[in-house]
């Protein structure tokens, strides 16, 4: 007992090693995780789509990429608004999360000999995998606004996949 | 006189017997191993791109995880669902859920060969103060976002090749040995919440052998030790979360309360090394 007390005295006021901001969440755990993952994924998707809008040789693909980049930016604004006032922390940085174009993939794309084909491949992966995530969110989220975002994303991913099929069949 | 002699003899014999009994007890007491520990030896149960702590309710939203112990763990797991399932650990009463990122060698998933979860009294100065891990407690350890050695607590080494220095990233294990990783979980609980919004702040590591006043309840320290049947060039290895330094682990406590309590009382508080059954090892 004495030893314990002495050790406490030496150590001074104890501080937790990882003092994370304790903002009470207005969102259910699924909604919050979904929104944070959507932001992390869309930040990477915007990089992919901006590359496509600038570099694709097919005018149709360039226009599609530009339009989808605008959709992702709007999605990001809505996701941040849902999260507010919880500060956004990227828990998924550097990870190969489903639907997330990674930095190494984007670097490879920049130097790809057949830009359009690899772009279509990465875009398809983004759309297909984020469909899975959006479907889970649309089913499990309790917060209405976050669930509505997931439902909108689910519909949009489906439509975008159809458009991609039309522009780059077989990619 | 003769009566007296008999009495002395009887007394002497009794004393001798008592001494013998005492020394037998002492030997028994010394025979236990003075390490506060009990283990659960588990197997790989399944793989899923799910994480019921970090991405609850979001099936398919995670990088790939290897799930050990409880067979039912998925994105939608909660305590009630897990408590109604079975697991693959020894002891069978431990139906807790444990998971780590999947290890890939040349992009092929590697199945771990030996999976042991140690519950330890080390890390705090006073093992008698350690309380049973509360039912339903969720704990995460490691940094899935680590970008270097400084922000990683991963530890990689080689089983049966102690000459290879441990590292925060993968190591090159000699042929015939196995790659292994150790991960220590925070062991100081805030005493109130089974989880927190960042999944970390309800737990803390001890400071100089004491739990901080913000997290005053010491619980057994969970140490994951996982062995993989791979050796050689580590450049062909990756985790689903990145390089070796991003190794992390998650734990969802589904031990029956009485089984956890007994082990903490008989193994941890009294500093005795126990087997998977929670009984002192000879």
């Amino acid at each position: 007992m004495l030893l314990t007390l002495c050790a406490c005295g030496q150590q001074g006021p104890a501080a937790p090693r990882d003092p994370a901001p304790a903002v009470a969440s207005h969102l259910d755990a699924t909604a919050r995780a979904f929104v944070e993952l959507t932001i992390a994924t869309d930040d990477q998707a915007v990089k992919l789509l901006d590359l496509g809008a600038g570099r694709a040789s097919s005018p149709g693909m360039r226009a599609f990429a530009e339009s989808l980049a605008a959709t992702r930016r709007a999605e990001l604004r809505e996701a941040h608004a849902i999260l507010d006032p919880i500060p956004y922390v990227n828990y998924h940085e550097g990870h190969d999360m489903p639907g997330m174009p990674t930095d190494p993939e984007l670097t490879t794309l920049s130097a790809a000999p057949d830009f359009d084909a690899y772009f279509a491949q990465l875009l398809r992966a983004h759309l297909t995998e984020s469909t899975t995530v959006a479907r889970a969110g649309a089913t499990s989220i309790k917060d209405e606004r976050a669930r509505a975002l997931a439902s909108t994303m689910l519909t949009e991913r489906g439509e975008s996949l159809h458009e991609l099929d039309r522009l780059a069949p077989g990619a | 006189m003769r009566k007296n002699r008999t009495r002395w003899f009887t007394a002497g014999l009794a004393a001798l017997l008592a001494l013998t009994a005492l020394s037998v007890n002492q030997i028994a007491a010394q025979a236990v191993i003075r390490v506060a520990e009990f283990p659960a030896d588990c197997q790989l149960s399944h793989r899923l791109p799910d994480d019921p702590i970090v991405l609850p309710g979001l099936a398919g939203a995670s990088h790939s995880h290897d799930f050990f112990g409880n067979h039912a763990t998925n994105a939608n797991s909660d305590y009630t669902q897990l408590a109604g399932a079975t697991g693959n650990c020894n002891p069978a009463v431990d139906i807790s859920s444990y998971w780590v990122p999947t290890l890939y060698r040349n992009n092929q998933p590697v199945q771990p060969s030996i999976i042991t979860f140690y519950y330890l009294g080390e890390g705090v100065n006073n093992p008698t103060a350690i309380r049973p891990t509360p039912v339903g407690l969720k704990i995460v350890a490691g940094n899935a976002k680590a970008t270097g050695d400084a922000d990683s607590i991963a530890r990689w080494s080689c089983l049966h090749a102690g000459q290879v220095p441990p590292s925060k990233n993968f190591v090159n294990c000699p042929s015939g040995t196995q790659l292994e990783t150790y991960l220590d979980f925070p062991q100081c609980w805030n005493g109130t919440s089974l989880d927190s919004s960042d999944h970390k702040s309800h737990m803390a590591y001890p400071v100089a052998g004491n739990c901080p006043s913000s997290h005053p309840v010491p619980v057994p320290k969970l140490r994951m030790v996982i062995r993989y049947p791979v050796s050689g060039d580590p450049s062909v290895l990756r985790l689903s979360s990145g390089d070796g330094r991003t190794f992390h682990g998650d734990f969802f406590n589904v031990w029956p309360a009485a089984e956890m309590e007994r082990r903490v009382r008989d193994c941890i508080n009294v500093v005795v090394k126990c087997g998977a059954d929670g009984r002192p090892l000879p």
Side-chain angles (χ1 to χ4, degrees):
Chain A
M1 192 59 195
L2 191 62
L3 271 177
T4 310
L5 285 173
C6 287
C8 284
Q10 283 163 3
Q11 174 188 320
R17 184 183 279 193
D18 187 16
V23 178
S25 182
H26 58 286
L27 299 172
D28 53 285
T30 302
R32 180 169 175 177
F34 177 81
V35 169
E36 287 166 344
L37 178 60
T38 296
I39 294 172
T41 304
D42 280 5
D43 279 340
Q44 291 297 113
V46 162
K47 293 184 197 170
L48 170 70
L49 293 163
D50 283 351
L51 265 176
R55 295 270 309 274
S57 54
S58 142
M61 189 63 94
R62 278 205 304 276
F64 178 49
E66 193 175 336
S67 145
L68 205 49
T71 306
R72 289 292 168 277
R73 287 192 167 91
E75 209 167 86
L76 277 165
R77 281 193 295 276
E78 174 65 1
H80 280 287
I82 292 170
L83 195 60
D84 186 64
I86 301 168
Y88 170 64
V89 176
N90 186 352
Y91 294 107
H92 312 289
E93 192 172 1
H95 291 190
D96 189 1
M97 301 303 284
M100 184 186 290
T102 64
D103 284 335
E105 285 168 343
L106 297 175
T107 306
T108 306
L109 175 63
S110 297
D114 189 350
F115 181 95
D116 285 26
Y118 191 47
F119 173 74
Q121 190 185 327
L122 292 179
L123 183 54
R124 182 172 297 281
H126 161 66
L127 293 170
T128 309
E129 292 166 11
S130 65
T131 297
T132 306
V133 180
R135 185 177 294 118
T139 315
S140 306
I141 291 171
K142 292 190 181 69
D143 179 82
E144 278 186 28
R145 192 171 170 187
R147 195 175 63 240
L149 174 66
S151 299
T152 306
M153 286 168 60
L154 185 58
T155 308
E156 179 273 314
R157 277 7 176 219
E159 291 165 359
S160 296
L161 275 167
H162 279 300
E163 181 63 7
L164 184 61
D165 285 340
R166 194 182 66 78
L167 289 167
Chain B
M1 193 62 194
R2 171 180 281 249
K3 222 176 213 177
N4 242 354
R5 200 179 292 160
T6 312
R7 203 178 292 146
W8 278 112
F9 177 74
T10 312
L13 189 68
L16 189 68
L17 282 172
L19 269 175
T20 311
L22 189 66
S23 59
V24 167
N25 277 341
Q26 274 175 342
I27 288 164
Q30 281 165 358
V32 302
I33 303 163
R34 306 296 293 174
V35 175
E37 171 185 314
F38 65 89
D41 294 301
C42 308
Q43 306 295 321
L44 177 67
S45 169
H46 55 286
R47 287 197 172 106
L48 280 177
D50 285 7
D51 191 328
I53 293 181
V54 177
L55 298 162
L58 297 176
S62 175
H63 51 240
S64 177
H65 283 121
D66 284 13
F67 289 92
F68 313 114
N70 198 297
H71 288 304
T73 318
N74 62 31
N76 299 308
S77 290
D78 58 15
Y79 174 75
T80 309
Q81 178 240 12
L82 294 173
T86 58
N88 61 19
C89 296
N90 174 26
V93 290
D94 180 19
I95 52 168
S96 295
S97 186
Y98 307 84
W99 62 97
V100 302
T102 302
L103 176 73
Y104 296 87
R105 183 175 188 278
N106 289 322
N107 294 322
Q108 294 301 309
V110 178
Q111 175 152 346
S113 49
I114 308 169
I115 301 137
T116 308
F117 304 118
Y118 293 99
Y119 291 81
L120 305 169
E122 65 173 55
V124 291
N125 295 334
N126 179 11
T128 61
I130 294 175
R131 310 304 309 146
T133 308
V135 166
L137 185 70
K138 300 173 188 176
I139 320 180
V140 300
N143 181 7
K145 292 196 301 172
T147 52
D149 286 2
D151 60 353
S152 169
I153 62 161
R155 181 186 191 274
W156 295 90
S157 50
C158 305
L159 177 64
H160 306 313
Q163 73 276 16
V164 177
S167 165
K168 291 196 174 180
N169 210 337
F170 300 126
V171 289
N172 192 333
C173 293
S175 172
T177 72
Q178 297 198 34
L179 184 67
E180 62 180 5
T181 187
Y182 284 67
L183 184 65
D184 284 2
F185 281 58
Q187 70 201 99
C188 300
W189 179 44
N190 71 5
T192 54
S193 3
L194 298 175
D195 194 3
S196 47
S197 55
D198 64 355
H199 313 295
K200 289 184 203 163
S201 40
H202 62 302
M203 298 298 299
Y205 286 92
V207 181
N210 291 291
C211 282
S213 58
S214 55
H215 297 76
V217 184
V219 297
K221 169 157 98 179
L222 174 62
R223 171 174 291 162
M224 287 186 169
V225 181
I226 300 178
R227 272 81 185 231
Y228 297 93
V230 292
S231 57
D233 180 12
S235 72
V236 297
L237 301 175
R238 70 176 173 92
L239 295 165
S240 57
S241 51
D243 71 21
R245 296 170 295 198
T246 67
F247 189 80
H248 57 281
D250 294 62
F251 167 59
F252 197 143
N253 178 33
V254 201
W255 278 87
E259 293 287 341
M260 172 62 75
E261 280 162 22
R262 178 171 68 79
R263 283 167 173 79
V264 169
R265 185 187 67 226
D266 296 350
C267 317
I268 302 293
N269 293 152
V270 293
V271 190
V272 166
K273 182 169 177 157
C274 291
D277 60 358
R279 310 282 177 207
L281 286 174

